[in-house]
Amino acid sequence: MTAAPRLFRATGDGRRETNAATVLRTVLDHGPVARRTIADRSGLSQAAVSRQCTDLVRLGLVRELPELTVGNGVGRPQIPVDLHTGESDGPLVAGVHIGVPASTFGLLDLRGRLLDRRTFPHDGIAAGDLPPRIARGLRAFLDDVRRDRPLLGVGAALGGWVDPVSGTAVRHHTLGWAGRPLAAELAGELGGLEVRVDNHARAVAQSEILFGRPEARRSLVHLFIGNVVDAALGITGLVHQGPGSGAGDVAHLPVPDSTVVCPCGRSGCLEATASNTAMARTAVRRGIVPWPDAFLVVDAAAAGDRRADRLLRERARAVGRATALLLDVLNPDLVVVTEHASLTNPEYLEEIRGAAVDHSHVCQDPERIVSPHAGTAVLPVAAGAVVLNPLFRSPLTASVR
């Protein structure tokens, strides 16, 4: 953690950076892959591909795999290249999802694969003291699991209104944060490591675009259902931020048929109807669990509690009705729903799909409503994507520690 950083800077115009990003993305999609195939798939010349591969190898992002070389008897054999994910020296990124009851730390390789994870409970920590405590916990986690491999940076994802440009948690009602310089606070405790922050719904959308289904690169909507409820929109591979990075606030999206009273004074708002907090309170009121914990409800349903199962299906149908509204307005190629019960039991995803199709005027193909590709690892993987997404867009400015 204290080693001097190895900094690589490439000079040239924007075309060189764009070409490097194109090559790196092609290697992500098709590697291990020969340079000639990269040229064919990317539309770049073989000379341009060769130059970019040289830069990317020097940066440690790509490696040659001579052991996979196959000659076809014509010309010089092509040495395949792939992302550098070697177990001893491949670069890594760290991710931290900052939730309400706990944070989750993750260590990822360049393919977004989760190599290790750890939960950091917030018990007894005041919300105002969380950033430095989380950073120290993350530093201890990295000291335990990194094993001296190069680290490209730290991504942090959280709910609420987050401005990734300034690294600020603009507004997080549940934690009581307003204008919190989160990236700077975390970096200060992490020895100057590069830290990027973003809203967790946008972070999941970035992860889907990088590593998920091909449809995600055309258009997707991501709906996040947790203690905080928010959403993200991706079009042609870009996640929409909006002025001030305020896009994605769907907490007060009306849920058809819901009569739950929201703190805003209206009835039927999505967060008041379907959030983990709302569901857990209902579970306590119905005597399903002894205290308000959404994960206990999911565990109870998995253990055969029919009341818990019924409550989760009610929540899933409410989420499906909200999904129908998003489908009708935006009609994306893919809708990704992050909701814990449906991550652990596909029956609840089917409830979401059924309610969405019943209420949507445009969706007759429920299969485009899916869970995140990373499954139950979605949150730490998404946090890592906060770093990996800009890396794949601008690889020649990589900074490695």
Side-chain angles (χ1 to χ4, degrees), residues 28-344:
L28 169 65
D29 291 343
H30 304 288
V33 61
R35 288 170 171 82
R36 182 183 296 116
T37 304
I38 295 173
D40 292 341
R41 292 185 177 275
S42 67
L44 298 174
S45 69
Q46 290 193 39
V49 168
S50 181
R51 287 194 299 270
Q52 300 309 329
C53 283
T54 298
D55 281 342
L56 295 171
V57 168
R58 178 173 59 84
L59 286 164
L61 302 177
V62 166
R63 60 175 174 169
E64 294 183 322
L65 300 173
E67 67 274 16
L68 299 183
T69 302
V70 177
N72 59 9
V74 180
R76 190 170 65 181
Q78 292 275 309
I79 299 176
V81 296
D82 201 359
L83 296 181
H84 192 355
T85 57
E87 294 183 1
S88 62
D89 57 350
L92 304 169
V93 301
V96 52
H97 175 259
I98 301 175
V100 175
S103 291
T104 305
F105 304 145
L107 192 68
L108 288 73
D109 67 12
L110 291 180
R111 289 196 172 276
R113 294 179 295 208
L114 186 65
L115 306 179
D116 216 323
R117 68 187 294 174
R118 181 176 297 172
T119 299
F120 181 81
H122 294 173
D123 298 344
I125 306 175
D129 298 331
L130 273 175
R133 295 283 296 274
I134 289 170
R136 290 195 287 272
L138 177 62
R139 185 171 58 195
F141 166 71
L142 292 175
D143 288 343
D144 288 345
V145 303
R146 179 180 157 192
R147 299 181 180 87
D148 295 323
R149 288 174 65 173
L151 193 66
L152 294 168
V154 176
L158 66 156
W161 182 358
V162 181
D163 182 0
V165 177
S166 63
T168 302
V170 179
R171 184 178 66 217
H172 195 303
H173 288 308
T174 308
L175 292 177
W177 291 354
R180 188 104 196 201
L182 186 60
E185 289 185 88
L186 295 176
E189 292 283 345
L190 292 169
L193 279 171
E194 180 183 20
V195 176
R196 293 176 178 266
V197 303
D198 207 345
N199 167 273
H200 55 198
R202 292 197 295 258
V204 173
Q206 292 172 5
S207 174
E208 294 301 315
I209 289 169
L210 274 176
F211 307 116
R213 299 163 181 80
E215 299 92 332
R217 300 181 188 178
R218 296 196 295 268
S219 63
L220 88 157
V221 167
H222 170 237
L223 179 59
F224 184 94
I225 305 292
N227 290 299
V228 175
V229 173
D230 43 23
L233 171 66
I235 299 291
T236 62
L238 295 175
V239 178
H240 179 60
Q241 301 280 348
S245 300
D249 188 348
V250 295
H252 301 285
L253 186 75
V255 178
D257 303 326
S258 172
T259 59
V260 177
V261 177
C262 178
C264 76
R266 292 177 290 182
S267 297
C269 295
L270 178 57
E271 188 166 287
T273 301
S275 70
N276 282 357
T277 303
M279 181 188 70
R281 288 172 179 166
T282 300
V284 171
R285 189 169 63 250
R286 295 182 184 179
I288 299 171
V289 294
W291 58 83
D293 185 326
F295 296 99
L296 288 181
V297 181
V298 175
D299 291 344
D305 188 320
R306 293 183 178 179
R307 298 171 303 164
D309 176 70
R310 185 162 53 249
L311 177 57
L312 292 176
R313 291 180 187 276
E314 289 175 10
R315 200 258 282 263
R317 288 191 291 272
V319 172
R321 295 195 297 272
T323 300
L325 295 176
L326 295 172
L327 279 161
D328 287 352
V329 173
L330 300 168
N331 196 24
D333 290 275
L334 197 68
V335 177
V336 181
V337 178
T338 299
E339 187 270 336
H340 183 66
S342 58
L343 287 174
T344 58

Side-chain angles (χ1 to χ4, degrees), residues 10-20 51-52 55 394 396-397:
T11 59
D13 59 18
R15 182 173 56 186
R16 186 176 181 185
E17 185 72 73
T18 299
N19 288 349
R51 287 194 299 270
Q52 300 309 329
D55 281 342
S394 186
L396 296 185
T397 55

Side-chain angles (χ1 to χ4, degrees), residues 344-383:
T344 58
N345 186 337
E347 290 186 10
Y348 300 120
L349 178 62
E350 289 304 317
E351 290 279 3
I352 293 171
R353 286 172 166 172
V357 171
D358 287 345
H359 288 80
S360 172
H361 297 282
V362 301
C363 180
Q364 303 302 319
D365 47 346
E367 292 76 18
R368 65 166 144 160
I369 303 170
V370 300
S371 293
H373 79 278
T376 56
V378 55
L379 295 178
V381 170

